[in-house]
Amino acid sequence: MEKENLMNAVVADVTARRKGGRKTGGFTLRDVAKLAGVAPITASRALNTPDAVSAKVLQKVQAAVAQTGYVPNLLAGALASQKSRLVAAVVPTLSGPMFLETVEALTDTLAGAGYQVMLGQSGYENSREDALLDAIIGRRPDGIVLTGITRSPQARRRLLASGIPVVETWDLTPTPVDMLVGFSHEKIGAAVAQYLHAKGKKRVAAISGDDERSRRRATAFSEAAVRLGMALPQETDIPACLVTAPTTLGNGRSGLRELLQRAPDIDAVFCSSDLLALGLMIEAQASGIAIPRQLAVIGLGDLSFSRDLQPPLTTVRIDGTAIGSTAARFIIARSEGKSVAEPICDLGFTIIERASV
């Protein structure tokens, strides 16, 4: 009965604060301490450094927290310790599965060290990413993980000035803002062209997203294909169809129709995502085009459905899990004041050979 009365009194105090229009209209540390029968400083120790209090006191405070549903104010703790235990991750899109492996590995690895991930979507425009980065930097996370290389001079200056550890991912440059985990898009394009040439392909084409990274892959693919003789003698580049990023299955279908109207004799297509490749394969089947006998196709991403297609899709595998876990380890080390011996990590890529080529 005494505990019930005490809880009723605490609830009455909270209700009065809410009616008075105060911002602290929820349960506070002081309320938890009152309900547990300890001083506020003791309740704080029990929550932040449980080893510093007795088991009996810890049990009382935990019971009070459970009764009230109290969540500690992490912002106040961050101001005192200069650590937020938050890491901001920025991806261009949440609508597709391309970056899912990286986000999951990043989140899991950081969680193991006591950090939480705050996820932001930047789109594919630099101006939108700049605004998002301003908002993130203003909240002073313990680290920032970006997808791609920061190309905006303004964003680069602000990231450098903030002093926050930054990892750029899914790309490669000798001059990152801070640290980098990724691979070369240009090397992927060239390697795919060499692979198709070795398979005896004579005239190749591409369907690519219009984002900057996909464009660089497609350009490198086209240049290598021309050098290897997989274009008509008078052509300085290969037939290509650019579609709006993020790419969709429908883009793959319409992209193949466009390519066949312009160059009906193509015998292989490099798609900038597995989703585009899936759309192309559906359109090919609807049009009576046999894959790979009449038209070979290669995607990028090695998404979960790729091996289960008929025929299974040949694709470029990016180790998103390794990218995420490595980026997390870089952030953890720097946040703890340790140096990173090799701040630029090129994880490369693998062409997964299946039956679509």
Side-chain angles (χ1 to χ4, degrees), residues 228-356:
L228 292 166
M230 292 189 292
L232 295 179
Q234 69 272 23
E235 289 180 335
T236 57
D237 55 18
I238 62 169
C241 175
L242 281 181
V243 299
T244 303
T247 57
T248 65
L249 185 150
N251 293 149
R253 297 198 67 171
S254 61
L256 178 59
R257 289 195 297 268
E258 180 182 325
L259 287 176
L260 291 175
Q261 286 175 357
R262 292 164 48 195
D265 58 339
I266 56 173
D267 59 4
V269 181
F270 175 35
C271 297
S272 68
S273 72
D274 283 354
L275 203 56
L276 282 176
L278 173 58
L280 181 151
M281 292 173 75
I282 292 172
E283 183 63 27
Q285 184 180 40
S287 303
I289 299 171
I291 293 176
R293 184 171 57 83
Q294 292 173 277
L295 183 68
V297 58
I298 181 168
L300 183 137
D302 194 25
L303 300 183
S304 58
F305 63 78
S306 301
R307 70 192 64 189
D308 298 318
L309 297 178
Q310 185 55 41
L313 178 64
T314 297
T315 185
V316 180
R317 166 73 175 152
I318 306 299
D319 195 342
T321 297
I323 290 175
S325 58
T326 304
R329 289 195 296 271
F330 280 8
I331 292 292
I332 293 166
R334 287 287 305 282
S335 184
E336 294 175 352
K338 301 173 184 175
S339 62
V340 174
E342 298 290 340
I344 298 177
C345 180
D346 181 358
L347 292 175
F349 56 90
T350 307
I351 295 178
I352 306 297
E353 186 167 3
R354 298 193 180 109
S356 67

